[in-house]
Structure formats: C-alpha cells, structure tokens
Amino acid sequence: MNSQPYSSTEKYEDTRFLAYRFYTETIEVSGMSALAFFEAGKTSFKGQRMFWQNREKTFTLVGLGHAFTLSAANHHGRFEDIQKDWQSLCKQIVNEERFVQPILFGGFSFDPLNKQQSEWVRFPEAYFAVPSFQLIIKDDRAYVSIHLITKEEETFQAFEALRKERDKMIHTAQVSELATYTKPIVVERQELKKEQYMDSIEKVTAIIKAKQAEKVVIARTLKLKYKESLSPASALYQVSKEQPESFLFGLEAEDQFFFGATPERLVKVENRQALSTCLAGSTPRGKTVDRDAELGEDLLRDRKNRSEHQYVVAMISKVFAEHCRETFVPKTPALMKTRDIQHLYTPVKGELKAGATLFDLVRDLHPTPALGGEPKQTALSLIRQYETMNRGYYAAPIGWVDAQGNGEFAVAIRSALLNEKEAYLYAGGGIVEDSTPESEYSETWVKFRPMLRALGGQLSDES
C-alpha cells in the first residue's frame, strides 16, 4: 500500500478526514517470532517497518508498510497536531475490533530548534505511521491486523490483495528457517568532535557554577563504518540478546533505521492510569556480587547522583499533578539494574483527569531533566549552544498509541541510527557544578556499551 502522507503544518480541518474510511481486519494466529514477521516484510516493505517490545516482554508490536503517515515539519504544536490527526482518523474506523486496536507508532525529534546539519536526513520533527500489517503479541496470544485507509468507495479488491499479502507473510514467518544473525565487522571507528565535547563540559560546568543553570545534559556521537550495509533485523536481534531487560524499539524511515534498547519509560497510559519512570543517576555494574552491591549502595548515597535524580522526580511529579487527579511518588529511589549500568529509579503513578491524554503527558514531560536539564528552557538553549551534535531522535520520545488512547512512550537512549554502511551511536550525561570532562567522558563509554556490543564494535580502553 502507498502511504497517505500529511504534513500537520497545514491548517486543521476536522472535515479533512471525512473522505477517508479506516478499515481493519484482525485474525488470531499461532505463535510466531516477532523478528521473523519483521524480516518477512523486508522485500515489500523495506523502509516502512517498525518494532516495539516493552521491558516486561508482555507486549510486542511489529508493523509492516504504511497505511497512513502523520508527520510534522514545523515544531509549533507538533504534539497536539499528531494527537488531533490521530483522533480524527480514528473516528473513521468502520469496524471495531474486539481484541486488538489499530496502533499509531513513531516518534518526535529531541529539539526542532536545533538547526545543526546532521545525519538524520530521513526523519522529520514528528514521524508516525499506521502500519498496513500489524502483529501484536500480548498475553501469549498473537494477532495480525490489516489496516486499509482509503478514499475509494470500492475496496473489495484492495482488501483481498491485502489478505493474500498477509497470509504470505504469516506463512513465511512461521515456516521459514530462522535467520542466523552474526555481528557486523567494524572497519573504522570515529569519536566525532571529541575535543569540542571535552571543551563543552568545561564551559557548561562554569555556567552552572555561576548559577545560570542547575543541570545540563551534554551528549556526544560515536560513528562506526562497515564494509556492508547493516541489517535492521540483525541489529534488533543482537540488541535483544544484549539487553533483554530493556524496551526494544526500531523505526525505519526509507533507508535509515533508528533502534535501541532503552531502560527508560517516559510514560504509559492504560485505562486512564498513567505511569512514568524517573531514571537519573548511574554507576557501572560490579564484576562480583559484593562489588555490585557496594557500587549500588554508593550510588544511593551519592550526593551528586541523588541531586540529579531529585530534579527528575520533582519535574515529573509536577507534570503528573497538572494532568492527573492524584499522584503516587515513593519518598526514596530504588535501584534499577541493567547489564552494564545501575540507575536510581522512582516510579510515578496517577489517574488522568477528564480530557487529559497520553500526548499531553509526552509533550510536557519531554525532555525530563535526565535528558535535558534544569531549568528546562535554559538547559535546551545551552545544549543548542554547546553540544557538538544534533540529537535527532536520540533521547526523544518514541512509542505508540492505540485508537482508545492507550499507549506507551520510551526515552530513546542506548540507541543508534543505521545509515546503510554507517552507524551513529549516542551517549550523554548530566553536567552539574562538580562535573569534570574526564568523568563525563568515561560515563559515556559505559552508556555506549550496549550499542557497541550489538553492532560489533570493540569496547574502548577508556571504557
């Protein structure tokens, strides 16, 4: 199916969607590999695939093809525009599904006001798609849905063609031998603008010491080069093995693929119940159980990290107070442990007020102090001035929403952008008044590790 693009910078007219009909059909299928279904769409839908799996491994989404796309070339009201378009489009759904809702999947750029040239050439400021074919694996049951969004009155032949394509891909995913994925071989590694990054830490630290900001997150880029083009399915496979306790995501935009394994939920909404994750302050894992526990206890007591974490807790709690009837926030953080890193972790929960939506929370939570800084606008301005890169979708919201407003967004850290024979990896850290370039540089190597391992890169001596 050809996608039906729409730039949400145009004037809103609710009647614009009245000409469309949104047809869906869902069948339950016997179990299959989500990655096999993703790979089954390679020939027909390369450049139009999406992947999501929550941290608990209770919900997996694969999307193939674009039944409809929503994008935003302008930053003004991009969260509201995507929300309004999706709500209007959902009003055109012809046949309600009992078990599975149609899903819109995509993400936003970190900062549309950052005008630096970058590698993110295929990703607009907001980019979402309704897949033509949607696989949902939930509660140990698998469903495949067809979505047809069209202005045509006669849809029988088009839908029959989609059914045949669906059946072919299901068959391929179920009976084909599982692909064997080997890690790619890196032929060159570049630390982009390393000296400028080190210099930026010094300058931003001085600004914070002068009380012009409290915290600013500064990131940097690592570039890997390969002999052959990188496989999105292989990248997802490798990172799923390296980071099984994280959210997994992947989003294709033509010949580019953004993917990652992030520990950080931005916000989840289910049946009007909202949940966010405060994740800030980190330390490496220990090589022994005793050393691991010692590092964790040191993190819980560390003034710098507890201060960073409290910025995030305060900000997320404030946003929840604005959009929720009541909120629940633990008084002290716990530890969240992934393969490479221990984080300070505090969940925030609440019940949405009438009229409040998932997109409202995404808009107001992004970026949290863990990814931007404090105060927010001051930190964003300093990032534009001193950071040596354009983050694109790194550290930005990526996720999904269904036709009933349920959904989940993660913060796209521990991530990489595949650009044919190149991969761009991203990592950063929170700068406060006692930060040093050397310590921040070392912290980025710890955060590069998941993507480096997944993409065949050797860990640096500095790491």
Side-chain angles (χ1 to χ4, degrees):
M1 292 298 296
N2 293 324
S3 62
Q4 302 288 338
Y6 165 70
S7 170
S8 53
T9 58
E10 298 174 21
K11 181 180 178 182
Y12 275 110
E13 296 181 12
D14 286 341
T15 58
R16 176 171 52 82
F17 288 99
L18 292 179
Y20 288 97
R21 291 294 178 269
F22 189 159
Y23 298 99
T24 71
E25 179 180 275
T26 298
I27 61 172
E28 186 170 0
V29 297
S30 58
M32 73 173 79
S33 160
L35 199 57
F37 191 72
F38 181 89
E39 189 76 330
K42 178 180 178 180
T43 300
S44 298
F45 302 108
K46 183 173 174 58
Q48 298 183 346
R49 294 179 293 173
M50 57 209 77
F51 187 96
W52 172 274
Q53 187 174 72
N54 66 2
R55 191 172 60 216
E56 299 80 11
K57 306 297 178 279
T58 58
F59 181 87
T60 302
L61 160 71
V62 178
L64 305 176
H66 290 171
F68 207 94
T69 60
L70 302 175
S71 64
N74 194 314
H75 71 278
H76 292 295
R78 58 189 180 143
F79 297 95
E80 295 87 348
D81 289 359
I82 296 296
Q83 173 180 274
K84 290 177 183 177
D85 282 355
W86 177 233
Q87 290 175 337
S88 296
L89 195 59
C90 287
K91 292 178 182 178
Q92 306 310 313
I93 294 175
V94 174
N95 46 330
E96 296 285 346
E97 292 289 352
R98 182 177 177 185
F99 296 111
V100 176
Q101 292 290 314
I103 281 177
L104 181 75
F105 183 87
F108 298 92
S109 68
F110 181 84
D111 180 11
L113 296 183
N114 188 322
K115 301 305 180 184
Q116 291 188 59
Q117 292 296 312
S118 76
E119 59 273 13
W120 296 87
V121 294
R122 303 300 187 195
F123 286 82
E125 303 303 344
Y127 171 54
F128 285 81
V130 182
S132 298
F133 302 96
Q134 170 185 295
L135 168 66
I136 294 292
I137 303 174
K138 184 177 182 181
D139 300 326
D140 296 322
R141 301 176 73 175
Y143 304 89
V144 176
S145 303
I146 295 171
H147 300 142
L148 176 62
I149 301 174
T150 180
K151 292 181 179 180
E152 299 296 325
E153 293 185 7
E154 177 53 58
T155 61
F156 177 79
Q157 290 185 341
F159 219 90
E160 278 299 300
L162 289 172
R163 289 188 179 108
K164 290 180 180 179
E165 183 74 27
R166 173 199 64 195
D167 294 343
K168 182 178 73 172
M169 289 189 295
I170 291 172
H171 180 267
T172 299
Q174 289 178 334
V175 307
S176 297
E177 290 187 21
L178 291 176
T180 56
Y181 300 110
T182 58
K183 289 186 179 181
I185 298 174
V186 177
V187 296
E188 184 180 345
R189 187 177 79 182
Q190 296 176 292
E191 295 185 64
L192 302 184
K193 300 182 179 178
K194 175 185 172 182
E195 296 307 318
Q196 294 96 314
Y197 163 80
M198 302 292 278
D199 185 55
S200 71
I201 303 300
E202 286 191 353
K203 291 179 178 176
V204 170
T205 302
I207 290 170
I208 293 171
K209 286 180 177 178
K211 307 302 181 184
Q212 296 177 36
E214 297 175 40
K215 174 188 174 183
V216 181
V217 177
I218 297 295
R220 69 186 186 100
T221 309
L222 189 65
K223 182 178 180 180
L224 307 180
K225 292 187 178 181
Y226 302 83
K227 286 185 178 180
E228 299 178 354
S229 293
L230 294 159
S231 161
S234 178
L236 287 170
Y237 172 83
Q238 299 295 349
V239 80
S240 71
K241 298 302 181 185
E242 298 287 354
Q243 300 291 319
E245 69 285 342
S246 297
F247 292 93
L248 302 180
F249 65 86
L251 179 63
E252 283 187 325
E254 299 182 36
D255 55 357
Q256 293 191 315
F257 180 63
F258 181 50
F259 81 106
T262 175
E264 186 164 355
R265 172 188 288 116
L266 182 64
V267 63
K268 174 183 180 179
V269 169
E270 185 173 12
N271 299 323
R272 308 295 295 170
Q273 300 298 313
L275 169 66
S276 186
T277 298
C278 305
L279 207 66
S282 61
T283 194
R285 296 298 302 270
K287 292 184 178 180
T288 67
V289 172
D290 290 342
R291 179 57 178 156
D292 197 59
E294 183 182 348
L295 287 169
E297 289 301 317
D298 288 346
L299 178 61
L300 287 167
R301 291 192 297 264
D302 184 76
R303 185 180 64 84
K304 173 183 178 292
N305 282 287
R306 286 293 293 267
S307 177
E308 279 192 51
H309 187 76
Q310 190 54 39
Y311 286 137
V312 180
V313 173
M315 181 268 198
I316 291 180
S317 299
K318 180 180 178 182
V319 171
F320 265 55
E322 292 172 356
H323 295 288
C324 297
R325 289 193 178 93
E326 56 181 353
T327 61
F328 172 76
V329 186
K331 293 181 179 180
T332 58
L335 291 174
M336 178 186 289
K337 300 188 178 189
T338 64
R339 178 174 178 179
D340 297 293
I341 306 174
Q342 305 184 58
H343 294 281
L344 294 176
Y345 161 72
T346 300
V348 178
K349 301 177 182 180
E351 181 182 351
L352 289 180
K353 295 178 180 177
T357 69
L358 173 62
F359 278 109
D360 292 334
L361 289 169
V362 172
R363 177 196 63 214
D364 292 347
L365 288 171
H366 173 71
T368 70
L371 283 308
E374 188 68 25
K376 178 191 287 191
Q377 295 305 322
T378 300
L380 286 172
S381 178
L382 290 169
I383 291 170
R384 293 179 201 123
Q385 185 174 354
Y386 291 103
E387 198 167 76
T388 60
M389 56 186 271
N390 185 330
R391 296 188 186 185
Y393 280 37
Y394 163 68
I398 189 165
W400 61 273
V401 60
D402 70 14
Q404 294 182 337
N406 299 310
E408 186 166 29
F409 279 77
V411 180
I413 55 175
R414 314 292 189 268
S415 55
L417 177 69
L418 305 189
N419 186 35
E420 298 185 333
K421 296 181 181 180
E422 301 172 336
Y424 295 85
L425 286 60
Y426 310 95
I431 312 305
V432 292
E433 63 180 13
D434 56 354
S435 296
T436 66
E438 294 75 21
S439 64
E440 295 300 327
Y441 177 77
S442 295
E443 183 178 332
T444 61
W445 277 116
V446 175
K447 293 175 178 177
F448 278 135
R449 283 179 179 173
M451 289 299 108
L452 271 172
R453 273 200 297 260
L455 294 170
Q458 295 298 311
L459 297 180
S460 168
D461 292 339
E462 295 94 336
S463 65

